[in-house]
Each structure stands twice: as C-alpha cells, then as structure tokens.
Amino acid sequence: MRKTAQEKALTPEKEEQLKTKAPATNAAGIGGLKATATHALKYIKPEHILKITQNINQKGGFDCPGCAWPDPDDDRSVIGEYCENGIKAMAEDMQKEQIDANFFKTHSVDGLAALSDFEIGKSGRLTQPMYLPEGATHYQSISWEVAFKKVATHLNALTDPDEAAFYTSGRTTNEAAFLYQLFVRAFGTSNLPDCSNMCHEASGKALTETLGIGKGSVTLEDLYKAELVIVVGQNPATNHPRMLSALEKTKANGGKIISINPLPEAGLMRFTDPKSPIKLIKGGTALTDVFVPVTINGDVAFFKALLLKLLEKEEREGGVFDTDFIKTHTSGLVEFLADLKTYDFETCLKASGVSKTTFNAVFELVLTKQKLIICWAMGLTQHQNAVDNIRELVNLLLLKGSIGKEGAGTCPVRGHSNVQGDRTVGIWEAAPQAFLDKIEKKYGFKPSKKHGYSVIESIKAMYENKVKVFFGLGGNFISAVPDTMYSAEALSNCNLTVHVSTKLNRSHLVTGKEALILPCLGRAEKDYQKTGVQTQSVENSMGVVSSTKGILEPCSTHLLSEVAVVCGVAHATLQGRTQIDWLGYQEDYSKVRDAIEEVVAGFTNYNTKLEQPSGFYLPNGARVRQFKTKTGKANFTINKLPDWTLHNDELVMMTIRSHDQFNTTIYGLDDRYRGIFNGRRVIFMNVNDIKARQLKPEQIVNLKSEFNGVVREAKHFKIVPYPIPKNCCATYFPETNVLVPLDSFAHTAKTPASKSVKITVHPV
Ligand SMILES: Nc1nc2c(c(=O)[nH]1)N[C@H]1C(S)=C(S)[C@@H](COP(=O)(O)OP(=O)(O)OC[C@H]3O[C@@H](n4cnc5c(=O)[nH]c(N)nc54)[C@H](O)[C@@H]3O)O[C@H]1N2
Ligand SMILES: Nc1nc2c(c(=O)[nH]1)N[C@H]1C(S)=C(S)[C@@H](COP(=O)(O)OP(=O)(O)OC[C@H]3O[C@@H](n4cnc5c(=O)[nH]c(N)nc54)[C@H](O)[C@@H]3O)O[C@H]1N2
Ligand code: SF4
Ligand SMILES: [Mo]
C-alpha cells in the first residue's frame, strides 16, 4: 500500500532512548565549545573547516545562514564571529555527504518519509534536479532545461495566475528575492506567502500602526547603552546566541536585564563566552536581574499591571512619564489612559501568573530607568492576540519616551538570516501601492493590486483546489506550517509542487501530482556567473544591509544559484511577455541591485555602499522620531486582555525550538540547556499538573487538541517534569504542528497561534 500524503507528512514515532538532567543555568561555556567542535568535525570536510570559521560573518566574507542577529559595526573578532549554532548551520549546509540520482533510485518517496527529520536532513546535499512523475514511486533525474519547461507549462496552463502560490523562506538573498517577486508579479499574481507570515508578521503589523515602520528601531550600539533591556518571549541562548555577547556588554556598562518567559531559559540566566579563556575559568556573567515566570500568553496582563502602577505613581507624584516626548510625538494618550483605568491591577497581575515580589522588582527598574529596550520573538508573535502583545509593549516605551533616542527602542529579533531583507525588496503578499507603482514605472507592466494569499490562505486555497501549483524558494513548507494533516492534503491536491532547496526535506515527499526538486548553492559556495563570482546582499535584524560572497567551491557542478533558478523559470514561463532581461540579471547581479535601487527606497548607491566593509543602515523613521503613521505621530493603542479560558483538564501548550534544530532542520537529538538528551518527543509539564492528572514522569502520553469541534492528535510523547508555570506545557516544533489548528491565528497578522494551543494529555 502506498503511503498517503498525511502519513508521509507526520514525523515518525521512533523509539527514543531519552535521558534527562536538571536544566542548565549557564549558556555556552565549555559545552558550547565541545558541541561546536563535534559538529564541525563530524559533518564538514576537514579542509573546509578553517575556511568557514575564518570567513563566516567577517567583512568581505559570507553571512552566516543561521539567524538574523547583526554583526558588530566595529572591529570583528579575529578568532571568529560565529556561535555554536552558526557552525551547526554550516555543518548542515556544507555537509560532506551528497545525494544524486542513484540515491533516489534506491530510496522511494515512501521509504524516505519513514525516516526521521534528522535522518532526512543528514542524507546529504542535493546535487541534481529531480522529477517525480504522476503516479511514480521514485524521483528521477531531469535536466535543468526540461525542469524549467515543466514549471512553465504548468504555470501557463492555469486559467488564472492566482492559481499559483510562490512561497519564500527567509534565507533567500535580496537579489534572488527581488527577482523572484518581480517574476511572480509579472506572471500576474501577488500570491507571495513567506515564512514571515508564521514568524514576525504580528510585529510588522503592530509596529507599522504604532511607529510607522514594521521593523525594530535599535542598533547594536543602543543595546550596549541601554539602562534596561527587557527580553520577552525569546530564547537567545539557542536562537540568537551572539545576542548574549551584546547583553554582556549591556551589563558591563551598568545596564539591567529583565527576562519575561514561562521558562527559566539557561542563556538568560548566565552566559560564559566560549571565546574568552578568562571567562571560561571564572564562570561567566549573570545576565538576568529579574526573571519573570509569566504564564503562557500572560504578557498583556503583565504589561497592563505595570502600566497601571506607573500611571498611579504618575498621577500621585509625577515625573514617571516622559511628558515632553508624549506631547510632541504621540497621539491617543487620553483614550489609552481612559481605557487603562477600566482595568484592575490585582486582576491583571493574577492573570499574568507573576508574584507580587517579582512584579515589584520589575516595577522598580522600569520606574527608575529612562533608556529602555524591549527585545522579543516568537513568544509574543505566535498567539491569537499577538498584535496586542506588541502594541502593549510599545505603549510602555512611549510612556517612558524610550523610542528614537540612544539606548532605547524596539528590538523584534528576526529569525531567518534575510527574512527582513526579503520583505524590504518585495516578498509581500500585501505590498504597498507605492511599491507596485515603482515596479510598473520601471518595468512597464501593471502588477496585480489584489492582496495575495499569505501562508494560511495559501493552504486553504490549495485544499479547496483554488491553487494548483505550489513553488517554494527554500524552506520546508509541510513541516513548518500548522495543521499538518489538513496541510498535507492541501499540498497533495496540487498539480505540481516545486522546491528549490539545498537539502532533502519532508516537503519533497508530500507532493502534488507531479513534483520537482531544484537543487541550489548554499551561502558559503562560490556563485560563478558570466561576469565572475557574484556578491549578494542581506539585511539583518537591525536594518543593516551587507554583502555576502561564497568562498568554497560548489559541492556539485550541476547546482544553480537561486538567482539563476528564478531567472530560468521566469525566462521559460514569460517568454516574450515582458521586457525584463532575466538572463542579463543572471549574468551580473550588480544590475539587480541597480534595479532594487530604482524601486525600493533607501538603496541609493547600493552597489557602492555595499563595498563598505560593515555595509550600510537603511533609513528608519522611528530611530529618529519621524513616525510615518496615519496620524504622523507615534500612536498609543488600546489592547484587551486575551479572552481565553482552559476547560476541564486542558493545558496551554507552546511549541518551541530545541537547542539542536534550526526550525525544521534537526541538527541532533539533544536540548542541552533544558537537560534533554537523545529525544524530541517530550512534553514539559509542571509537577503539580502531572500529579493532578495522576500521571508520572517519563510516562508515555498522547496529546489532543480540540478547536471548533475538530479533534487533532499527536501520539507518543514522554512526560518531563519541568519548572514551567501551572496549566502550561511545552513541546517541540515540528512534531506537534499536527495539533496547531489552521484557524487559530493572530488577528490581522494571521500568524499561526503555535504558542497557545489548548491540549489535553492522555495516558497510552
Ligand atoms: N539555533 C536556532 N536558531 C534559530 C532558529 C532555530 O530554530 N534554531 N530559528 C530562527 C527563527 S526563524 C526564529 S523566528 C527565531 C525564533 O527564536 P525564539 O522566538 O527565541 O524561538 P522559540 O523556541 O520559538 O522560543 C520562544 C521563547 O518564547 C517563550 N514563550 C513562549 N510562549 C510565551 C509567552 O506566551 N510569553 C512569553 N513571555 N514567552 C513565551 C518560550 O519559552 C521560548 O523561550 O530563531 C531563529 N534562530
Ligand atoms: N509549531 C510551530 N511552527 C512553526 C514555528 C514555531 O515556533 N512553532 N515557527 C515558525 C517560524 S518562526 C518560521 S520562520 C517557519 C520556518 O519555515 P521555513 O523557512 O519554511 O523552514 P526551515 O526549516 O527554515 O527550512 C529549511 C529548509 O530550507 C532549505 N534551505 C536551507 N538553506 C537554503 C538555501 O540557502 N536556499 C534554499 N533554496 N533552500 C535552503 C533546506 O532544504 C531546509 O530543509 O516555521 C514556522 N513554524
Ligand atoms: S548568532 Fe545567528 S547569525 Fe550569528 S553566528 Fe550565531 S547563528 Fe549565525
Ligand atoms: Mo522565524
């Protein structure tokens, strides 16, 4: 019997020899050094290791394909500007193993689907284009030319361009991303779902409305100079490790740090820079001054409690709010305060799950410090009320005048290395009209004005047969998206699914009637084109655009760059329908940058500025107190407490990353800081919740979520007692994406609410 799409989409329930330890209280250190060396030696060719470590994140080198944390503007460390997880990303990208047509001859699609995500990823780098004909059990080789024609034939056979969806994952460089969205718009649709839709979309929405720019306002220098940094809903030790070095500088300069998180994440507590022998001996720096174990989705309640106490003090004694800033730069204060007064402090604090002692410690710091930075990530953005979460923290910054001045502002910490740049250059299903007008002016065609499908809408459209071709530039759609069963069926309804990828992943196995895998170069590989080895560019989390250039020979001569793949598909599909010189762009990427300069604001002299060793900052209104909002001011907003209750024995579950994964790429089976070894199918629970359900540590349970009458199930998870607030639990993504309902998403931003899934736990 052939496997169904749904069976192939699920991560197999493999027996795991799980070992647990007490959670760590210190990040990096010797353990970090050991893990870095192990991964490098095990997976990277020895002759590549030195080259990689000497060039990663260095001026003139290549940008780490891991997260979007910025590199210092000033001198970079000679012993390397990378972290353990940057090396793990490289060990994945530049792994020794390679797979070609022979591999696919011996492994059927069903056979591959039975492997774990770890095994699939470690099968090796893809080296040649592969094609899965309708009804076939195995992929077979195909030439690039025929592959491009196949895509073109399918696209041109659609009755409406809106019947195709073009996904992007955030590793794609500015050059490839710009050409990709140009092709999609020239083809006639705005269906450009991207990983942002599942990530910081809520930040973009909230910040655009309140501050006039959907990006953060601070620079690394600001972070060093802040008096108080609040890290909320973020686990930097794992997901942005070099942020800990920046926070260490904040502390060295006298700054304080508050961490708001249901989990006492190790890196927030203490950090030992593995590159500093003295610190390795001394034991590192304590980072967090106040740890706030908020309940999952208790953040608005906590911020409201804080705002209420600040208001009380302001009304009693004055001097708490930055009244000059508020008067000159903001709008909506009166309405905001009137609404705030309808809330009761005790009720809010109770809803946040935070003790009065902890609250008072936070209150003291917020009251006495004038330069505040708030950093956040998925702990705030993946809830139904995600936009409110972020708007509420902006309210706090506005009251304190902590925006657009040194050492103060917003810091949404981005995920993928170029997710921010992709949006800047046009990967946006709802691009502003001004951008579309510029495209029209330069290229002479009218881009569709209609807003396209975001990720959730694309899945629905595929399910309902409204989208028939799915094209993915990077990423691992089926494992990243919510509601695995529904989404698998959606993808399998397509006539054609295409993935441009460096490595094999589960999305290549959950296919439409026909499927293509188009293998591309990784970041560290040299990109040879007619005019020589090409440079590309990326934008980091703080709006700095810098160059990235491969340094290693490509692992196969059959690989194309993402730019070349996009140009090949565009050329084959559009033929003479536009005047766009795809092949000219492919030969010389500096021409793509000239085009970006014409279409996107802030890129004046792009090619010249890119030669600056540290790159250049894009303009940022919020940074200089120019708020390009509807009111022309920074806006206070009114946000409600989240409206949800747990029934019977429900728990609220957050789906988080282990220390050994990059999204759906599983580097290994350990989560060192949380004391988890050799396993991923675990559920972290509070001991009282375990007892109350007559369960036991290490017991195997099935998890169920019920939403709008639909029951979803994920099987075979081991209970791990953990310091997590009562009624809360945590599991790893993507194993539990099957439990995340497609219809549970952030209002207006449509980010799947994968940090607040209501579940019940059932003994097997
Ligand atoms: N090594 C590595 N690096 C990565 C990634 C990776 O997978 N691996 N992924 C990249 C990507 S794309 C992204 S978006 C980022 C993700 O970076 P993070 O957002 O740090 O990643 P998550 O594991 O989702 O962690 C969310 C954190 O929020 C907390 N949290 C969950 N719910 C709540 C809540 O309701 N309130 C509060 N206050 N906290 C909450 C969790 O306990 C956890 O510490 O990292 C990027 N960098
Ligand atoms: N339940 C739950 N779901 C989540 C999240 C969560 O916290 N919880 N987080 C969400 C978030 S924040 C994000 S960003 C998404 C991530 O969603 P995606 O971006 O779709 O997923 P990734 O796992 O980052 O994609 C990895 C794949 O990209 C390909 N790849 C790697 N490098 C390159 C490259 O240079 N070029 C090309 N073309 N391909 C490459 C490889 O084949 C690899 O298998 O997942 C989301 N899903
Ligand atoms: S912090 Fe992020 S960008 Fe920097 S080296 Fe580590 S993974 Fe790479
Ligand atoms: Mo992300």
Side-chain angles (χ1 to χ4, degrees):
M1 269 291 274
R2 300 277 294 276
K3 282 198 164 96
T4 63
Q6 297 185 328
E7 285 164 345
K8 287 183 284 186
L10 281 180
T11 51
E13 298 155 35
K14 302 235 167 177
E15 226 16 81
E16 294 175 335
Q17 303 305 314
L18 180 75
K19 288 215 172 77
T20 57
K21 276 192 194 165
T25 50
N26 189 353
I30 298 278
L33 277 183
K34 255 168 61 187
T36 309
T38 311
H39 272 264
L41 294 170
K42 198 162 166 191
Y43 298 114
I44 309 178
K45 284 186 184 158
E47 65 270 29
H48 285 168
I49 294 176
L50 193 64
K51 263 193 164 169
I52 287 174
T53 51
Q54 281 178 341
N55 285 282
I56 189 166
N57 289 334
Q58 293 292 344
K59 296 170 179 176
F62 68 94
D63 180 63
C64 171
C67 73
W69 189 252
D71 305 311
D73 292 339
D74 51 11
D75 280 346
R76 309 242 167 121
S77 163
V78 282
I79 54 166
E81 276 297 341
Y82 57 87
C83 71
E84 172 191 338
N85 279 334
I87 290 305
K88 286 184 191 161
M90 285 318 303
E92 200 73 25
D93 259 31
M94 292 312 298
Q95 54 185 289
K96 296 177 216 170
E97 302 299 323
Q98 290 165 22
I99 55 180
D100 58 11
N102 276 330
F103 173 89
F104 288 98
K105 261 190 201 146
T106 45
H107 294 84
S108 68
V109 172
D110 282 5
L112 289 169
L115 300 178
S116 69
D117 291 337
F118 173 72
E119 290 163 330
I120 291 178
K122 291 291 185 214
S123 359
R125 277 287 297 277
L126 294 159
T127 54
Q128 58 187 106
M130 300 303 301
Y131 170 57
L132 186 69
E134 187 165 359
T137 53
H138 292 67
Y139 271 96
Q140 47 191 251
S141 66
I142 187 171
S143 72
W144 278 106
E145 202 191 339
V146 180
F148 289 154
K149 275 202 186 130
K150 266 211 189 302
V151 181
T153 309
H154 272 276
L155 288 176
N156 289 328
L158 298 173
T159 42
D160 188 321
D162 288 338
E163 289 175 355
F166 298 87
Y167 176 70
T168 318
S169 168
R171 274 203 187 173
T172 296
T173 58
N174 283 356
E175 289 76 2
F178 178 79
L179 292 177
Y180 185 51
Q181 62 83 37
L182 182 63
F183 157 60
V184 171
R185 296 185 199 286
F187 175 66
T189 180
S190 319
N191 289 343
L192 283 159
D194 77 328
C195 70
S196 248
N197 297 150
M198 299 183 270
C199 190
H200 265 295
E201 194 72 61
S203 307
K205 279 264 187 285
L207 293 174
T208 305
E209 178 192 350
T210 54
L211 302 174
I213 181 166
K215 305 179 183 183
S217 72
V218 303
T219 65
L220 265 184
E221 271 314 300
D222 287 321
L223 209 57
Y224 304 153
K225 289 176 180 158
E227 291 171 359
L228 177 63
V229 177
I230 303 178
V231 181
V232 49
Q234 198 205 340
N235 179 21
T238 287
N239 299 313
H240 307 92
R242 284 189 313 144
M243 178 173 169
L244 300 187
S245 314
L247 291 176
E248 208 181 15
K249 283 200 184 177
T250 313
K251 297 258 3 192
N253 292 337
K256 299 282 181 190
I257 297 173
I258 296 172
S259 299
I260 308 180
N261 199 309
L263 303 182
E265 303 284 26
L268 291 168
M269 300 305 155
R270 177 170 278 276
F271 167 60
T272 308
D273 188 342
K275 303 229 175 67
S276 161
I278 295 173
K279 283 176 192 156
L280 280 174
I281 295 164
K282 280 189 170 171
T285 314
L287 290 180
T288 291
D289 294 281
V290 186
F291 168 57
V292 184
V294 72
T295 194
I296 294 175
N297 205 8
D299 302 275
V300 169
F302 184 74
F303 278 110
K304 272 212 192 299
L306 198 55
L307 292 165
L308 278 164
K309 278 284 164 206
L310 291 170
L311 174 61
E312 197 184 297
K313 182 114 176 152
E314 169 73 21
E315 291 190 332
R316 217 174 41 232
E317 300 165 23
V320 177
F321 296 169
D322 184 339
T323 40
D324 284 347
F325 171 82
I326 293 171
K327 216 161 137 196
T328 322
H329 294 292
T330 71
S331 165
L333 178 75
V334 175
E335 297 83 349
F336 161 68
L337 292 183
D339 178 75
L340 184 60
K341 284 180 180 170
T342 65
Y343 290 89
D344 163 60
F345 169 76
E346 296 293 341
T347 314
C348 290
L349 191 62
K350 186 155 181 271
S352 76
V354 178
S355 73
K356 219 167 225 162
T357 321
T358 304
F359 175 85
N360 286 339
V362 172
F363 178 69
E364 256 331 286
L365 283 175
V366 173
L367 185 70
T368 50
K369 307 294 177 194
Q370 308 313 328
K371 294 182 186 174
L372 267 65
I373 289 179
I374 305 184
C375 305
W376 72 93
M378 299 303 100
L380 289 195
T381 64
Q382 295 177 335
H383 297 285
Q384 289 185 358
N385 62 324
V387 178
D388 285 2
N389 271 339
I390 293 138
R391 298 195 318 177
E392 200 70 338
L393 63 84
V394 171
N395 283 336
L396 172 62
L397 291 173
L398 294 183
L399 286 181
K400 296 285 295 178
S402 261
I403 189 90
K405 70 177 183 192
E406 189 186 78
T410 52
C411 184
V413 186
R414 299 277 164 174
H416 271 295
S417 57
N418 195 40
V419 62
Q420 186 156 313
D422 289 348
R423 186 53 70 84
T424 303
V425 301
I427 302 291
W428 199 347
E429 81 283 359
Q433 191 55 44
F435 173 83
L436 300 178
D437 290 343
K438 289 263 187 72
I439 293 269
E440 181 179 353
K441 189 164 167 235
K442 170 146 181 70
Y443 293 103
F445 71 88
K446 252 196 191 328
S448 169
K449 284 185 180 180
K450 209 163 71 180
H451 283 186
Y453 295 132
S454 65
V455 163
I456 285 185
E457 292 156 340
S458 300
I459 295 168
K460 281 220 162 109
M462 288 189 274
Y463 191 88
E464 291 165 4
N465 277 312
K466 289 182 190 150
V467 159
K468 294 171 181 151
V469 175
F470 173 90
F471 191 104
L473 187 58
N476 182 4
F477 196 78
I478 189 58
S479 297
V481 299
D483 225 339
T484 314
M485 293 312 209
Y486 181 96
S487 301
E489 205 168 325
L491 280 166
S492 69
N493 282 345
C494 288
N495 293 335
L496 177 72
T497 47
V498 187
H499 289 93
V500 182
S501 311
T502 47
K503 303 167 356 173
L504 192 67
N505 65 44
R506 201 165 285 284
S507 295
H508 305 143
L509 312 173
V510 182
T511 64
K513 293 184 187 75
E514 294 172 66
L516 282 164
I517 305 174
L518 306 179
C520 67
L521 295 170
R523 273 279 170 82
E525 288 169 316
K526 288 184 186 167
D527 183 351
Y528 290 101
Q529 301 295 343
K530 264 206 179 131
T531 54
V533 178
Q534 302 297 305
T535 298
Q536 303 193 63
S537 50
V538 289
E539 175 184 342
N540 66 33
S541 204
M542 292 180 178
V544 179
V545 179
S546 58
S547 67
T548 175
K549 195 170 183 181
I551 44 131
L552 300 175
E553 289 306 317
C555 75
S556 153
T557 50
H558 300 300
L559 299 181
L560 291 186
S561 68
E562 287 188 348
V563 166
V565 175
V566 169
C567 290
V569 170
H571 184 69
T573 307
L574 299 174
Q575 301 280 341
R577 268 191 267 162
T578 68
Q579 302 301 311
I580 303 166
D581 181 11
W582 299 107
L583 303 181
Y585 281 142
Q586 180 181 330
E587 281 172 10
D588 180 358
Y589 296 3
S590 72
K591 288 191 186 152
V592 187
R593 288 186 286 275
D594 286 338
I596 295 175
E597 180 173 337
E598 274 184 64
V599 173
V600 190
F603 285 89
T604 316
N605 298 325
Y606 193 176
N607 276 304
T608 316
K609 280 202 266 186
L610 205 57
E611 286 168 17
Q612 295 168 14
S614 303
F616 61 96
Y617 279 91
L618 288 175
N620 185 315
R623 199 170 277 164
V624 289
R625 296 189 168 177
Q626 283 170 9
F627 302 107
K628 294 181 182 149
T629 59
K630 283 189 186 143
T631 60
K633 306 255 175 174
N635 293 316
F636 283 98
T637 51
I638 293 174
N639 304 300
K640 294 199 206 84
L641 286 182
D643 176 22
W644 56 274
T645 35
L646 294 173
H647 297 291
N648 303 322
D649 54 351
E650 274 179 341
L651 296 170
V652 58
M653 175 182 80
M654 52 182 182
T655 56
I656 54 175
R657 291 155 171 80
S658 83
H659 191 61
D660 258 0
Q661 73 183 90
F662 192 95
N663 299 336
T664 69
T665 299
I666 310 301
Y667 297 143
L669 301 180
D670 300 344
D671 192 4
R672 201 171 73 235
Y673 297 149
R674 299 196 185 107
I676 300 293
F677 299 89
N678 211 26
R680 292 183 50 84
R681 293 187 88 86
V682 295
I683 171 166
F684 297 98
M685 286 175 72
N686 178 298
V687 273
N688 293 318
D689 288 330
I690 300 175
K691 275 193 203 139
R693 287 163 182 73
Q694 276 99 44
L695 298 167
K696 291 203 174 66
E698 304 221 353
Q699 189 172 343
I700 304 288
V701 288
N702 292 339
L703 316 178
K704 283 187 188 169
S705 73
E706 189 178 339
F707 188 81
N708 290 346
V710 182
V711 179
R712 296 166 174 83
E713 190 173 24
K715 288 188 178 158
H716 209 87
F717 288 79
K718 212 171 234 182
I719 295 178
V720 175
Y722 206 78
I724 183 168
K726 218 169 155 313
N727 298 325
C728 298
C729 66
T731 54
Y732 296 129
F733 128 69
E735 282 79 356
T736 45
N737 282 35
V738 65
L739 296 173
V740 185
L742 193 73
D743 288 326
S744 173
F745 51 77
H747 306 306
T748 70
K750 303 211 177 97
T751 319
S754 41
K755 293 284 190 278
S756 47
V757 187
K758 289 189 216 168
I759 64 153
T760 47
V761 178
H762 304 266
V764 176

